[in-house]
Amino acid sequence: MNSDKRGSTISSTAAPELGPEYIPKHVAIIMDGNGRWAKKRLLNRIKGHEKGANTVRAIVKTCRKIGIPILTLFAFSTENWQRPKVEVAALMSILKRFLVTEQKEMMENDIRLNVIGQIERLSGEVRDALRNAMELTKNNKGLLLNLAISYGGRYEIVRAVRKIAGKVKNGIIDPDDRKDEITEDLISDHLYTRAMPDPDLLIRTSGEMRISNFLLWQIAYAEIFITDTLWPDFDSKEFIGILKDYQDRERRFGKV
Ligand code: IPE
Ligand code: IPE
Ligand code: MG
């Protein structure tokens, strides 16, 4: 087994079946399948999103217990703005409610909330709720919960390029100077996820074999796990099973 930057070595009593070594430092999840979950039950898609919020609560708690330092959840993509207005409004209202109801839990569990995405496209109300939750939890150290909202991976890279170009134009960066060279690290430093390690593990629920514009740059070497389980049915037991599978994989990073 390759021990290269495999993960942190926080020991865990929460999931004894997991080796204390190689707990991933960063797990990213594409939470998909809420609509199908509802459809199967002849319910409105929105019921699926509501049920999905319960899964978020459970998985966040499990990450905290196991000692995973960073969890990034794909909650709403830039493409999801094209969904019917009522569905977008419902998703925003579920998000707003979640940000209020979970404050106590986040404080008790030492969870820091962060948002990645085009926050400027969100309504003032949602932005306020996000800002409040981030402000309240800013000193928490147990788990960094990144919510990807109005997030698109390509746009994130475009934004980084714009920021770097701006710095070159203003003379803050001189790419001809060796110390200012445009490197992979410099680009990483201009993404929403700056200062965070890349995800070790990417999970997608509901069986779709695609990335859907999520963390394009950061998942270069992530281990990918796709489960057919629909997000509202996903639970901690399955999550721990995936972590176990991750621990058994060999990460080669292009080496032999
Ligand atoms: C994921 O579930 C939630 C969001 C994308 C906001 P979906 O709403 O995509 O559910 P399916 O894919 O239609 O089943
Ligand atoms: C990806 O799911 C976005 C989120 C989970 C927030 P989608 O359901 O939007 O992705 P596609 O449309 O199946 O690619
Ligand atoms: Mg979907």
Side-chain angles (χ1 to χ4, degrees):
M1 207 183 282
N2 191 326
S3 62
D4 256 90
K5 292 188 182 160
R6 191 69 191 275
S8 57
T9 52
I10 301 161
S11 109
S12 167
T13 47
E17 61 271 56
L18 291 180
E21 296 152 77
Y22 309 141
I23 295 288
K25 286 191 188 113
H26 185 171
V27 174
I29 307 182
I30 302 174
M31 311 186 287
D32 197 16
N34 294 348
R36 275 162 283 175
W37 182 92
K39 197 173 172 208
K40 258 174 55 182
R41 287 162 181 78
L42 306 176
L43 297 168
N44 188 297
R45 294 176 56 83
I46 290 157
K47 289 278 174 235
H49 296 313
E50 283 169 358
K51 191 79 176 28
N54 296 337
T55 309
V56 172
R57 201 170 291 126
I59 298 305
V60 168
K61 240 185 167 159
T62 302
C63 282
R64 176 69 187 100
K65 278 195 200 144
I66 293 173
I68 291 168
I70 307 176
L71 172 66
T72 300
L73 296 176
F74 202 6
F76 191 85
S77 71
T78 44
E79 291 73 24
N80 290 150
W81 286 114
Q82 298 164 60
R83 291 192 179 193
K85 260 197 177 123
V86 277
E87 182 169 347
V88 172
L91 282 163
M92 291 301 151
S93 118
I94 292 167
L95 170 65
K96 235 175 13 188
R97 207 183 321 139
F98 182 88
L99 291 168
V100 176
T101 56
E102 299 315 298
Q103 286 187 0
K104 190 163 166 268
E105 193 87 0
M106 288 194 277
M107 292 313 288
E108 282 172 6
N109 289 293
D110 201 18
I111 295 165
R112 175 157 76 92
L113 183 87
N114 182 49
V115 190
I116 62 173
Q118 291 179 300
I119 310 305
E120 59 282 4
R121 289 179 76 176
L122 301 169
S123 74
E125 279 186 352
V126 173
R127 264 182 292 162
D128 285 347
L130 285 168
R131 210 174 296 130
N132 289 341
M134 285 194 284
E135 179 62 27
L136 178 75
T137 61
K138 69 177 180 197
N139 295 319
N140 292 347
K141 302 261 181 313
L143 165 74
L144 173 59
L145 172 59
N146 268 327
L147 285 185
I149 300 166
S150 189
Y151 172 88
R154 284 194 169 177
Y155 177 76
E156 183 183 30
I157 295 170
V158 167
R159 177 179 168 273
V161 171
R162 284 186 187 153
K163 279 179 185 282
I164 293 168
K167 286 186 184 175
V168 170
K169 192 171 155 211
N170 294 327
I172 300 165
I173 291 176
D174 173 8
D176 294 332
D177 184 335
R178 276 290 291 281
K179 74 165 181 23
D180 278 355
E181 259 178 353
I182 297 189
T183 60
E184 293 185 9
D185 282 345
L186 185 84
I187 293 174
S188 293
D189 283 347
H190 288 81
L191 299 175
Y192 295 122
T193 51
R194 66 190 161 273
M196 299 174 201
D198 289 337
D200 301 296
L201 172 62
L202 171 71
I203 299 171
R204 180 168 189 147
T205 57
S206 7
E208 238 63 75
M209 299 287 180
R210 53 179 174 259
I211 300 298
S212 302
N213 203 12
F214 191 40
L215 301 177
L216 297 178
W217 175 274
Q218 298 90 333
I219 59 168
Y221 262 103
E223 292 294 323
I224 299 175
F225 201 104
I226 293 171
T227 168
D228 285 334
T229 306
L230 305 174
W231 178 251
D233 290 330
F234 191 68
D235 61 13
S236 294
K237 187 162 173 273
E238 183 169 5
F239 181 50
I240 289 168
I242 292 173
L243 291 170
K244 175 119 190 47
D245 185 279
Y246 164 83
Q247 293 193 323
D248 291 339
R249 288 191 191 180
E250 185 187 12
R251 298 182 79 187
R252 283 196 288 270
F253 298 98
K255 295 176 254 179
V256 288

